[in-house]
């Protein structure tokens, strides 16, 4: 096996919603035709994998996470034919596509639910979760506090209560029913046949849970193994990426001890502590999360991300830590959401400060794992807090300074494009930033290029290096005969760092971006001055070593061993 076979390890994932990306037919809603025309933009940026948020037939009461027909494209985005055209162009450009698999629940508009509620004897009745009485704990486990008041709602047609972990228009599927499991496989098979490279699995901890009134917490991880087996019989190199916001010590249950379940998991543990570190300069909880998520099977991988399409969840921080992040990044109540998170976009959270944005992106692209970016962050898009809940950060992509930011030529569009004086489309757009060599867009493109040339980060083992400055995160990556070192200064102060690298040939550190190399001092340490919020990526060793390793990235080498891949 070569490095290219485990393509997801060194991928750059870009998450987008077809509805908000590009409208080609002028009806005000983004579509596959429009997205297809923008694929060359994504290829130019260096994206290797696109994650599409739900584009299926849906009443769209939760941004498409309420699916009515799992086997179709919503007609506002085009037809299945347009989808296949889009897939074909993505393939031609070498871009892989993964799609959201939302099978913890369906929409109330799904024909399965319609049949289930209409008739107690229906084959579909047991596809959902029912109770005659409303369970006493029906307020426990609500996901959207403030918007959702219960997890059990009475359905008059059915004459019973149904369970819904999320909004009441999203009845939970009974995933312990073998027919439901078979249907999930069928859905996967359908989209695999159309060429997708895998799935971002929504709400995995809930999906595998046993559901019902008065049932003790019980999870069936075998569901994940069954899905993985099915997936790989149908398409050997396809992947499952889990959205599972669970404590680090539960993560091996999702990967499986021998990597037999899901290949990828979003790293929520690191994500929350990363924002705490950005807010306070205190890197200790981040180091803890990195070390806690160090262990993984050789074929598995963490996905690192900054902001997503959801709120910035801070629910796993200590209350006082959470307060500090709120104070720094969301000081007004209207910027916060669900008592646990922040609903703003990345750039406004960081005060539109270029140094801090670069620091955040440098971390995204150098923390151990596969980076995933949210559409629009590459140009520093803002948010519109007048829009409700999480919608504020889901506005149309800003392409040009024309009307609606070049997203659509329609008079009215699906959501207003941002038009405030700081983040409005006239100032912040792709066309403008293309012309400016120093723009965030061009800078991001350069970082992605560098990142793709650094398989040590995604394939190697890593260690956090202890230094004299607690506000600096210093890391070393080792893979085969090469090593890298990254430094990130979370503080607003210049720092004089003393660093012991502890790798072979560490007398020279060769900086990847600006060429400010470092030579080891007689006492065995490097002395490096870091400006406020500065970051550095170094290759360890003199330039000949740099040449050696370019040979490693072209895929002529064997599969990693467990030792290579950071088994601890
Ligand atoms: O989110 C599932 C989920 O569990 C989240 O609510 C998560 O716990 C929370 O946002 C903390 O980050 C997914 C989608 O990402 C979200 O947009 C949907 O609303 C939700 O599923 C329901 O389908």
């Amino acid at each position: 096996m070569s490095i290219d076979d485990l393509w997801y390890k060194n991928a750059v994932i870009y998450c987008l919603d077809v509805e908000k990306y590009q409208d080609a037919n002028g009806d005000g809603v983004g579509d596959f035709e429009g997205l297809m025309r923008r694929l060359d933009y994504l290829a130019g940026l260096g994206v290797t994998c696109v994650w599409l948020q739900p584009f299926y037939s849906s009443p769209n009461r939760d941004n498409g996470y309420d699916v009515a027909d799992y086997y179709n494209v919503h007609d506002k985005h085009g037809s299945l034919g347009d989808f296949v055209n889009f897939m074909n162009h993505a393939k031609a450009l070498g871009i892989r596509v993964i799609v959201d698999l939302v099978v913890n629940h369906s929409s109330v508009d799904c024909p399965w639910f319609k049949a289930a509620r209409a008739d107690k004897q229906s084959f579909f009745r047991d596809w959902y979760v029912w109770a005659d009485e409303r369970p006493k704990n029906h307020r426990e486990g609500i996901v959207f506090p403030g918007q959702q008041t219960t997890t059990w709602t009475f359905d008059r047609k059915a004459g019973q209560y149904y369970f819904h972990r999320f909004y009441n228009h999203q009845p939970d599927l009974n995933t312990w029913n073998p027919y439901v499991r078979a249907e999930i496989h069928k859905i996967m098979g359908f989209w695999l046949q159309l060429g997708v490279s895998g799935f971002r699995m929504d709400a995995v901890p809930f999906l595998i849970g046993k559901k019902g009134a008065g049932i003790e917490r019980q999870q069936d991880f075998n569901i994940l193994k069954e899905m993985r087996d099915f997936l790989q019989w149908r398409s050997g190199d396809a992947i499952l990426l889990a959205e599972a916001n669970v404590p680090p010590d539960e993560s091996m249950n999702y990967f499986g001890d021998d990597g037999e379940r899901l290949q990828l998991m979003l790293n929520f543990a690191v994500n929350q502590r990363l924002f705490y570190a950005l807010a306070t300069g205190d890197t200790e909880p981040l180091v803890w999360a990195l070390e806690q998520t160090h262990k993984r099977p050789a074929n598995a991988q963490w996905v690192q991300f900054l902001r997503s399409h959801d709120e910035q969840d801070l629910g796993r921080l200590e209350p006082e830590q959470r307060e500090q992040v709120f104070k720094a990044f969301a000081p007004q109540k209207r910027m916060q959401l669900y008592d646990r998170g922040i609903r703003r976009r990345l750039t406004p959270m960081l005060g539109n400060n270029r140094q801090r944005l670069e620091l955040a992106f440098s971390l995204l692209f150098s923390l151990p794992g596969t980076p995933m970016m949210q559409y629009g962050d590459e140009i520093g898009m803002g948010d519109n807090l007048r829009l409700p809940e999480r919608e504020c950060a889901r506005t149309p992509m800003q392409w040009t300074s024309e009307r609606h930011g070049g997203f659509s030529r329609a008079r009215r569009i699906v959501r207003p494009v941002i038009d405030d004086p700081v983040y409005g489309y006239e100032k912040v757009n792709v066309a403008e930033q293309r012309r400016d060599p120093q723009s965030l867009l061009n800078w991001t493109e350069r970082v992605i290029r560098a990142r793709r040339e650094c398989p040590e980060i995604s394939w190697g083992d890593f260690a956090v290096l202890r230094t004299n400055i607690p506000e600096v995160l210093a890391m070393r990556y080792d893979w085969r005969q090469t090593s890298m070192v990254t430094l990130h200064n979370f503080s607003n102060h210049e720092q004089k760092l003393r660093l012991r690298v502890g790798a072979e040939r560490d007398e020279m550190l060769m900086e990847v971006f600006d060429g400010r190399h470092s030579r080891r001092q007689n006492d065995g340490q490097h002395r490096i001055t870091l400006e406020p919020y500065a970051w550095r990526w170094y290759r360890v060793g003199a330039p000949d070593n740099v040449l050696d390793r370019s040979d490693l990235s072209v895929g002529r080498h064997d599969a990693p061993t467990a030792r290579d891949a950071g088994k601890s």
Side-chain angles (χ1 to χ4, degrees):
M1 228 196 294
S2 87
I3 181 170
D4 296 322
D5 293 314
L6 271 58
W7 61 271
Y8 53 92
K9 287 230 168 186
N10 206 34
V12 176
I13 306 177
Y14 185 95
C15 167
L16 66 85
D17 185 355
V18 180
E19 185 181 59
K20 322 288 181 359
Y21 210 59
Q22 178 72 66
D23 168 25
N25 68 355
D27 65 355
V29 183
D31 44 41
F32 277 105
E33 167 89 38
L35 174 58
M36 185 169 77
R37 293 187 200 166
R38 293 299 183 185
L39 275 171
D40 293 275
Y41 164 79
L42 294 172
L45 188 58
V47 169
T48 63
C49 176
V50 173
W51 154 25
L52 299 181
Q53 294 195 335
F55 50 79
Y56 315 103
S57 304
S58 156
N60 217 12
R61 297 183 194 111
D62 180 18
N63 202 37
Y65 284 93
D66 46 332
V67 180
D69 181 357
Y70 289 90
Y71 299 102
N72 225 328
V73 167
H74 197 302
D75 52 14
K76 67 187 176 183
H77 302 316
S79 65
L80 276 174
D82 294 316
F83 178 82
V84 169
N85 267 353
F86 153 78
M87 291 297 299
N88 184 55
H89 193 48
K91 190 173 163 194
L93 293 173
I95 295 182
R96 290 179 178 267
V97 177
I98 60 176
V99 297
D100 237 297
L101 183 63
V102 192
V103 288
N104 171 67
H105 48 270
S106 75
S107 160
V108 286
D109 290 9
C110 181
W112 310 333
F113 189 70
K114 287 185 181 164
R117 75 190 333 179
D119 178 3
K120 250 193 171 142
Q121 304 310 320
S122 162
F123 167 68
F124 292 101
R125 187 72 165 201
D126 189 52
W127 283 38
Y128 295 87
V129 185
W130 305 95
D132 290 327
E133 309 273 320
R134 185 177 238 177
K136 284 208 175 55
N137 62 352
H138 73 100
R139 287 185 207 283
E140 279 170 27
I142 285 172
V143 176
F144 304 124
Q147 301 295 323
Q148 192 190 351
T149 51
T150 180
T151 55
W152 286 90
T153 294
F154 188 70
D155 185 62
R156 267 199 287 154
K157 270 196 195 144
Q160 279 187 305
Y161 289 86
Y162 65 92
F163 174 66
H164 53 90
R165 172 65 65 187
F166 298 94
Y167 297 107
N168 65 0
H169 56 77
Q170 292 167 317
D172 268 53
L173 282 159
N174 175 12
T175 44
W176 284 42
N177 176 327
Y179 293 102
V180 171
R181 291 191 190 184
E183 190 73 28
I184 292 174
H185 294 172
K186 204 189 277 183
I187 295 165
M188 292 166 62
F190 180 82
W191 294 102
L192 287 170
Q193 202 76 19
L194 294 186
V196 307
S197 290
F199 302 89
R200 178 266 193 190
M201 276 173 71
D202 192 51
V204 182
F206 302 129
L207 171 87
I208 60 177
K210 184 157 191 180
K211 308 174 190 188
I215 275 174
E216 298 277 301
R217 184 170 188 260
Q218 210 182 321
Q219 289 174 315
D220 183 3
F221 286 96
N222 199 38
I223 296 185
L224 306 179
K225 168 85 168 74
E226 288 168 11
M227 290 174 75
R228 168 71 175 273
D229 285 348
F230 177 86
L231 178 87
Q232 299 223 281
W233 278 109
R234 289 289 169 95
S235 176
D237 64 354
I239 56 98
L240 292 168
L241 157 60
E243 187 223 18
N245 184 353
V246 296
D249 58 1
E250 291 182 25
S251 51
M252 284 303 286
N253 294 333
Y254 291 81
F255 288 137
D257 283 335
D258 296 315
E260 74 278 17
R261 294 176 188 159
L262 311 178
Q263 294 99 327
L264 296 151
M265 278 180 84
L266 290 165
N267 198 328
F268 281 95
V270 164
N271 172 268
Q272 304 200 8
R273 276 98 189 169
L274 174 60
F275 275 90
Y276 171 76
L278 288 167
T280 62
D282 175 6
T283 59
E284 196 128 318
L286 175 60
V287 169
W288 176 86
L290 286 166
E291 288 177 345
Q292 290 292 309
T293 54
H294 180 247
K295 186 176 168 192
R296 60 178 165 82
N299 61 353
Q301 181 81 322
W302 288 102
V303 172
Q304 305 291 358
F305 62 106
L306 296 168
R307 288 288 287 109
S308 75
H309 66 294
D310 286 329
E311 79 285 2
Q312 173 59 45
D313 193 341
L314 305 169
R316 295 202 182 270
L317 298 181
E318 299 297 328
E320 60 277 13
Q321 295 176 332
R322 186 160 49 244
E323 280 317 308
Q324 281 174 279
V325 183
F326 278 150
K327 211 168 128 209
F329 295 147
Q332 300 169 21
K333 261 270 173 266
R334 66 186 188 124
M335 300 168 173
Q336 304 168 9
L337 195 62
Y338 309 140
D339 310 325
R340 62 166 181 254
I342 298 178
R343 68 192 191 107
R344 306 174 84 191
R345 265 217 187 236
L346 179 72
T347 308
M349 279 171 71
L350 298 181
N352 205 8
N353 177 313
R354 179 66 182 261
Q355 282 173 305
R356 297 186 87 179
L357 277 170
E358 289 189 9
L359 177 74
F361 275 120
S362 168
L363 284 154
L364 169 66
F365 289 110
S366 69
L367 287 176
T370 295
M372 183 190 86
M373 33 184 334
Q374 175 71 359
Y375 82 94
D377 279 353
E378 74 273 26
I379 53 170
M381 266 172 59
D383 47 48
N384 177 357
L385 295 176
R386 289 190 304 269
L387 296 174
E389 288 182 78
R390 296 164 292 175
E391 295 306 311
C392 60
R394 299 171 174 173
T395 60
M397 181 69 180
Q398 296 170 200
W399 296 105
T400 69
S401 57
E402 291 154 309
R403 195 164 69 131
H404 302 319
F407 160 72
S408 169
R409 59 176 193 276
R411 276 173 66 87
R412 281 176 59 83
I413 58 172
V414 59
R415 291 268 183 298
V417 70
I418 292 190
D419 66 355
D420 66 46
V422 182
Y423 301 103
Y425 63 91
E426 287 178 345
K427 281 200 94 160
V428 176
N429 65 63
V430 170
E432 191 79 24
Q433 294 201 18
R434 271 207 173 133
R435 287 191 283 268
D436 173 6
Q438 305 310 326
S439 68
L440 187 63
L441 176 64
N442 280 317
W443 178 86
T444 306
E445 192 183 312
R446 292 195 291 274
V447 175
I448 293 177
R449 183 184 311 142
R451 161 54 206 254
R452 288 178 57 184
E453 292 171 2
C454 298
E456 293 90 342
I457 294 174
S458 44
W459 282 79
D461 195 4
F462 73 90
V464 176
L465 305 176
R466 306 289 158 168
T467 73
N468 59 320
I469 314 279
E471 290 96 340
V472 171
L473 178 70
M475 302 192 51
R476 195 186 73 220
Y477 299 87
D478 303 303
W479 187 54
R480 308 267 155 86
Q481 275 71 51
T482 69
S483 296
M484 285 188 63
V485 168
T486 62
L487 303 176
H488 291 91
N489 177 9
F490 284 81
S491 74
N492 190 13
H493 307 286
E494 184 180 283
Q495 303 287 3
K496 295 207 178 302
L497 191 74
R498 290 197 305 275
L499 180 72
R500 207 174 279 282
V501 173
E504 255 175 67
R505 315 219 291 172
D506 69 3
E507 60 278 3
M508 278 305 288
L509 297 180
M510 313 297 295
E511 216 286 336
V512 170
F513 290 93
D514 63 11
R516 278 190 284 174
H517 309 322
S518 166
R519 184 180 296 279
R520 196 177 62 197
Q521 311 277 298
N522 290 338
D523 63 359
Q525 300 190 85
H526 286 264
R527 284 188 168 58
I528 298 170
T529 302
L530 292 168
E531 304 78 27
Y533 303 124
W535 51 276
R536 302 258 206 287
W537 298 13
Y538 297 104
R539 273 190 194 292
V540 177
D544 63 323
N545 193 18
V546 177
L547 287 181
D548 284 351
R549 64 147 304 286
S550 68
D551 193 42
L552 292 176
S553 61
V554 297
R556 282 191 243 131
H557 291 258
D558 296 331
T561 63
R563 189 161 39 92
D564 285 334
K567 233 187 180 173
S568 65

